[in-house]
Amino acid sequence: MNLDGSAVLSGDPEKVWSVLTDPAVLARTIPGCETLQQVGDDEYTMKVSVGVGAIRGTYAGEVRLSDQQRPASYVMHASGAGAPGNARAKVTIHLSPAEDGRTTLTYSADAVIGGPVAGVGQRMITGVAKRMAGQFFRAIDDELTGVAAPAEALPTAAAVSATSDSASPGEQSPTAAPTAFAGRAGVPAGTSGDVQTLALGAVGGAVLTLIGVLVGYRLGRHHR
Amino acid sequence: MTTKLFGEPVRRREDQRLITGKGRYLDDIGHTALAAAFVRSPHAHARITDIDVDEALDVEGLVAIYTYEDLTGPMAEPLPVLIPHPQLHAPRTGFPLANGEVNHVGEPVVMVVATDRYVAEDACDRIVVSYEELPVVVGVDAARAAEHAVHEEIPDNVAARHHQETGDVEPALAAAPRTLSFTQYIERSACMPMEGKGVHAKWDADDSSLRVYTSTQASTSVRAAIAAKLKLSLDKVEVIAPDVGGGFGVKIVHPWPEELLVPLAAINLGREVKWAEDRREHFIGSAHERQQRQEITVGYDDDGRITALDVHIWHDNGAYTPYGIIVPIVTATQLVGPYALPVYRVVVESVFTNTVIVTPYRGAGRPQGCYAMERTMDRIADDLGLDRAVVRERNLIQADQFPYDHRLTFQDGRPVIYDSGDYPGLLDKLRTLVGWSEAEHLRADAAERGKLLGVGMALYVEGTGPGPYEGGHVQVLGSGKVLVSTGLTSQGQGHETAFAQIVASELGVPIEDVEVTTGDTRRFGYAVGTFASRAAVMSGNAIALAARGVREKALRIAADVLEAAPEDLEIDAGLVQVKGVPGTSIPLRTVAVLSNPLRYAFDEAAKQATQFAKAGDDDKPPVAVGDAPGLEHRDYYSPIRSTFASGAHAAIVEIDPATWEIDVVKYAVVHDCGNVVNPMIVEGQVHGGVAQGVGGALYERMAYDADGQLQNASFMDFLMPYASEVPNIDIDHQQTPSPLNPLGIKGAGEAGVIPGTAAIASAIEDAVGRRIASMPISPTELYDLVRDPSSERTATAARREAGAMA
């Protein structure tokens, strides 16, 4: 299943890159991200909990990154699994300069969705995933334009800043104790109602969360 | 408590259930199931450029959305052409969900599954499908003109050119003392069962088995189609036709897209899924029938005897041809009716239009054929100034001409050979029943009341009970209960009663002990289906043969116990006894117990069958070689060809010259379906058929506009006769038993509808003296016709005028 999309972000590719690669930012912008953890040089794991209405689903994800052409593009290999289903995706992300010093981000995911949720129809899965991508990039853009709520305003965000401060990932070997970043869990998936639909949103979330984490992976290198 | 019930007017045992709301129809099943709904094409011909589901995602309770992209393997291929034919040179079928192009309004494009139908419909409303419209072809004449093509690779719109002839027609026409040529039309109508289509599917993931309930006329074949399309093993699929609220032909078509998509969703989602067709869906998403343009040339002598008949028909088959060319073949071969035609040639061109598919509707091409032949008889009579009944009489096949070979090939691939009948007998009975000789007197009487009165008649022969086969299974239980099953389905015809009568009579058991099951693949896996007036002929005979097998075995076992010869035994009221020796008997239920040698006695009755109950022959096995345990038998009936029923209808109409309302004041039917299992059921079938015949003649049509929009797709706008429009029907029976099957019966299901349009057209023409060449006809159309100076007056009308002046 192919999942393509794009977003215009406020800031030139370099700035977008640096924001996209701040795990603290990602942790609070990825829909439903609970924790984001660097567990090794090339490894990140995370927990996303995407929920709508009365039901929530928690998903574990892993990512690997390749073909980095900073600040233009990279490819990430992501996988996520949760009760209602699982997802495996290869996502190519491009950053290109747009007018007014902005950046056009395009992503192209080749995803395989499995488990019960896979039975609900391709248009529905892509529809939900696209919608969550929209939320993710809106949140990113809010970070870029500074309209996002100040980190301190949220306990989880406080934890984030605290963690990120103390962590200063760059100063420690990637192989050292895992560095964790708390997220702002439970960003609505934007879909509603039925079990299957929620599961779907969740998996879509997992995929996109993985996308985010892959970007986040860059951090260690960047600050090294 | 008689058990000889064959031929008795036994009350329909299913009616208690059906008319007190205790029937179990499709929508009564699966209250907790998810509901499916469909986004259907609003255009008659278009390319799909985009499907946007984003808005639908916010609908609370949405579960799944399927489009063509979700179909893989056999599901991504076109639906099957059910009945291939060498003359169907360009067959086309749609996909379960549209694959880039739609060819009629109502074609399914997207399937939505949600927690209930309301939610599913809401989601459908929010799905935006973008189309690029294409030129539309509506009506048989537009298809024939072929300015545009329905399927671009078929520029002439011709799917099939069906051709049969029994001799060299041109010289025969050239040599004919007189000839007539004319063109006439007949419109579309549809089956319109009270219950539309519907499907419920339940997937057992642990057992990887599927159970499907569907409102169908062919459960075994739906089962095979689902197994093939969804790549399931046949033994993992069960298909059951529950109570079905009418079929009339539309439900013999299969697999309908919904019959494949609902099971697909049930499997993908691991949930029960149900879809019940609504009325608009039935109008635009199922099937219609009947529209034809008929060009007829007939050669005849001065006495009105036909010497040659040449017929060229253009048949509108709608957007696709899933049911092959059965309707054209039936029209072509049944057109000849009860008449001996020295030379006959027929060509039926089946053409595509951007409208709902055309598949058999009760009569299945026969009403059109009858309309062509009988109106030809009327024209010959009008030309020669002869009584219409006399012209018919002179052309009838005589009773001593059976079996009569028309040298044509029927829809079952077998020759059209009439097995038996008495057509002059039918005509005589009809003239008496309707009072044909009183017509002029009645006309004058009506004239005094300011009314225009006309009489008309039409005769038909109907090929019924086509093969290849049906089967029956009869089993007597230790309780005395007799279980009967057959694979074909029931849609309210009274099969439970008729089949039970047959078994009670053959086996000599009380009908109360007989339980009949139809259309359930768990009970009987081999069947063809319920169509072409075949259930009584096919399953009736198969069940009779099965019952005879049980009887033979019962007598054999009882003879052993009673120490008598099997031929000295009889079964009556469930008791096997020695003829003429009261008291020496054994209940059939005990015979059933003894038929199954037991080791373990699970109840009192069973004790009798255990190994120490009685001394057996030490040299023989308990179950003889070639024998089987149990008092049951399965048998099949496979006819060499169809058996031909016949009938004659007459209508008397009164027309009010102020409103031009057409009132059918008398309707007479003489009916011959061979031996009758249940005359009450046969008369009920005739009544229903006549009601649909009247509807087809005076009310029903599919009002398509030039854009292929069906403008009367609801019961507010589609006229059907109420009881108030259906005349009282006088029925007389004639019985010419069929030599082709053990029970000597012929089908009766469709007969009533066949001659309606022809007989009523003849009566209206007789009343107004203007040629009626297009049916159905409304009061408005009749008003316009009689006011139009260019409309053709009949020679009969001119003669009457002359007579009146003289």
Side-chain angles (χ1 to χ4, degrees), chain B residues 221-365:
Chain B
S221 195
V222 170
R223 177 195 188 200
I226 289 173
K229 281 290 191 179
L230 300 183
K231 295 199 278 186
L232 299 168
S233 171
L234 192 64
D235 65 297
K236 290 296 189 181
V237 181
E238 299 170 349
V239 174
I240 301 152
D243 283 323
V244 173
F248 308 109
V250 64
K251 295 173 183 177
I252 192 61
V253 180
H254 63 278
W256 286 101
E258 301 87 355
E259 284 177 318
L260 300 173
L261 293 165
V262 169
L264 173 79
I267 292 170
N268 284 357
L269 301 172
R271 304 271 302 272
E272 280 180 62
V273 180
K274 179 168 78 175
W275 167 76
E277 186 176 59
D278 67 32
R279 188 53 55 180
R280 178 172 164 77
E281 281 184 300
H282 189 74
F283 269 96
I284 65 173
S286 59
H288 302 161
E289 215 226 89
R290 303 261 202 266
Q291 186 180 48
Q292 290 183 354
R293 168 195 170 98
Q294 306 180 327
E295 294 184 358
I296 299 166
T297 301
V298 61
Y300 52 100
D301 65 20
D302 296 338
D303 300 326
R305 286 190 181 78
I306 291 177
T307 57
L309 182 65
D310 189 16
V311 180
H312 194 156
I313 291 170
W314 278 268
H315 168 85
D316 171 4
N317 62 228
Y320 303 111
T321 56
Y323 212 71
I325 56 171
I326 290 301
V327 174
I329 293 172
V330 171
T331 295
T333 52
Q334 300 267 268
L335 185 146
V336 294
Y339 308 110
L341 304 178
V343 185
Y344 171 54
R345 177 174 68 182
V346 60
V347 174
V348 185
E349 308 212 37
S350 187
V351 294
F352 289 108
T353 59
N354 290 114
T355 57
V356 171
I357 60 170
V358 167
T359 63
Y361 155 38
R362 194 179 199 172

Side-chain angles (χ1 to χ4, degrees), chain B residues 700-773:
Chain B
E700 298 170 6
R701 72 186 67 217
M702 291 296 164
Y704 275 104
D705 67 12
D707 300 320
Q709 298 293 335
L710 187 55
Q711 296 174 307
N712 62 339
S714 83
F715 280 167
M716 286 197 305
D717 303 307
F718 178 78
L719 287 182
M720 290 194 296
Y722 301 150
S724 51
E725 281 75 42
V726 178
N728 291 324
I729 304 162
D730 301 330
I731 301 181
D732 193 1
H733 288 281
Q734 174 176 282
Q735 291 195 13
T736 57
S738 173
L740 298 183
N741 61 71
L743 297 177
I745 56 184
K746 304 174 181 180
E750 296 168 282
V753 76
I754 296 169
T757 290
I760 290 171
S762 182
I764 294 170
E765 184 171 287
D766 184 51
V768 302
R770 301 296 176 116
R771 192 74 67 198
I772 306 297

